[in-house]
């Protein structure tokens, strides 16, 4: 851990996208294999949309940290946040370029938490019971954030509001909607879709869609 982990398709593309009208070449270059581009934002949920009132919402980091931490909604909003413009790819084959979010970096959430040297994986868990697993190396160094706004507006409940994890360098099932916590573990543990035949890692540039890809 701690090494810089730059993932293709995420870091270092913003300059291109803002320097002028996007050409077809650039659009093709930014479209992972087997994907098509859309400007829609489809909703894909495995169950009903949970609606936890904000006064009962919290975000927790637990597991292999010296002291677990939990933020209320107000405390979460007081954390340093930034705007993120990222390309999102769903395993159902849509890719949406330059999606605009506001949220708190996972780096910020883990800052000062004193991770156990054995810490290697994060299990994101959500209201409604959804889980997804990620190596810490896939979510540190500005690779993941907890978003509470999309396109300048509060994140809609069907898209994971009040807050969701966003991991742009992985297929979108790794971006847990209605996220309520990250459990830090030494060992990996497949989440909801990973247990149902989807790939454990889910790198869209390697087309890691299903278990044996
Ligand atoms: N809690 C939770 N998070 C979830 C899901 C879900 O069913 N529940 N679906 C995943 C899948 S498969 C996808 S493609 C994206 C869809 O997000 P969207 O509905 O905002 O497009 O959320 C992911 N995160
Ligand atoms: Mo998905």
């Amino acid at each position: 851990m701690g090494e810089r982990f730059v993932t293709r398709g995420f870091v270092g593309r913003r300059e291109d996208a803002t320097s002028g009208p996007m050409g077809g070449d650039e659009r093709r270059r930014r479209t992972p294999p087997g994907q098509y581009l859309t400007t829609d934002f489809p909703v894909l949920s495995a169950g009903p949309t949970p609606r936890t009132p904000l006064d009962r919402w919290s975000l927790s980091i637990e597991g292999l940290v010296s002291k677990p931490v939990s933020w209320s909604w107000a405390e979460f909003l007081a954390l340093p946040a930034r705007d993120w413009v990222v390309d999102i790819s769903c395993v159902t084959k849509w890719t949406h370029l330059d999606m605009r979010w506001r949220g708190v970096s996972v780096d910020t959430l883990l800052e000062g938490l004193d991770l156990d040297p054995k810490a290697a994986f994060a299990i994101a868990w959500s209201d409604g019971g959804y889980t997804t697993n990620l190596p810490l190396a896939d979510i540190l160094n500005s690779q993941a954030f907890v978003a509470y706004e999309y396109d300048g507006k509060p994140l809609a409940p069907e898209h994971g509001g009040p807050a969701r994890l966003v991991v742009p360098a992985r297929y979108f099932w790794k971006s847990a909607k209605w996220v309520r916590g990250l459990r830090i573990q030494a060992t990996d543990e497949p989440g909801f879709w990973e247990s149902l035949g989807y790939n454990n890692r889910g790198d869209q540039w390697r087309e890691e869609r299903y278990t044996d890809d």
Side-chain angles (χ1 to χ4, degrees):
M1 268 194 357
E3 72 271 66
R4 179 121 188 111
F5 207 89
V6 177
T7 303
R8 191 148 64 108
F10 182 36
V11 178
R13 290 179 172 241
R14 300 286 69 82
E15 300 80 0
D16 302 336
T18 51
S19 63
M22 219 193 300
D25 279 355
E26 189 193 339
R27 269 196 289 269
R28 263 190 301 283
R29 186 171 62 75
R30 287 169 61 184
T31 307
Q35 298 289 113
Y36 68 87
L37 290 182
T38 183
T39 53
D40 290 343
F41 192 176
V43 173
L44 286 131
S45 302
T49 295
R51 288 170 195 272
T52 301
L54 290 180
D55 61 3
R56 288 204 271 120
W57 184 94
S58 61
L59 182 69
S60 306
I61 311 287
E62 59 209 5
L64 292 180
V65 289
S66 55
K67 195 155 33 93
V69 63
S70 182
W71 296 276
S72 68
W73 180 249
E75 290 166 341
F76 172 66
L77 290 186
L79 293 172
R82 48 162 278 206
D83 295 321
W84 307 75
V85 182
V86 296
D87 302 344
I88 296 291
S89 289
C90 174
V91 75
T92 60
K93 302 202 166 174
W94 60 262
T95 291
H96 188 146
L97 301 180
D98 289 331
M99 297 186 89
R100 297 198 312 121
W101 311 81
R102 186 165 184 80
V104 178
S105 175
V106 167
D107 300 326
T108 302
L109 299 175
L110 297 181
E111 209 170 86
L113 279 195
D114 213 1
L115 292 191
D116 186 294
K118 290 196 290 292
F121 298 92
I123 312 299
W125 55 273
S126 300
D127 276 324
Y130 188 85
T131 56
T132 189
N133 55 317
L134 291 144
L136 285 176
D138 283 9
I139 58 173
L140 296 177
N141 296 315
S142 301
Q143 296 184 101
F145 54 95
V146 175
Y148 56 88
E149 284 180 16
Y150 172 70
D151 209 13
K153 293 184 271 305
L155 185 60
E158 62 271 25
H159 286 301
R164 80 179 296 167
L165 185 65
V166 180
V167 189
R170 296 292 174 262
Y171 284 121
F172 209 23
W173 83 76
K174 295 283 185 184
S175 294
K177 304 199 278 189
W178 315 298
V179 71
R180 291 291 304 277
L182 298 179
R183 194 168 65 247
I184 310 301
Q185 303 190 163
T187 53
D188 201 4
E189 181 185 330
F192 179 82
W193 284 120
E194 294 84 1
S195 304
L196 291 171
Y198 284 85
N199 191 271
N200 197 53
R201 181 145 175 267
D203 181 342
Q204 65 267 30
W205 289 99
R206 295 170 181 266
E207 248 193 305
E208 294 170 336
R209 298 177 189 274
Y210 308 108
T211 304
D212 295 322
D213 287 347

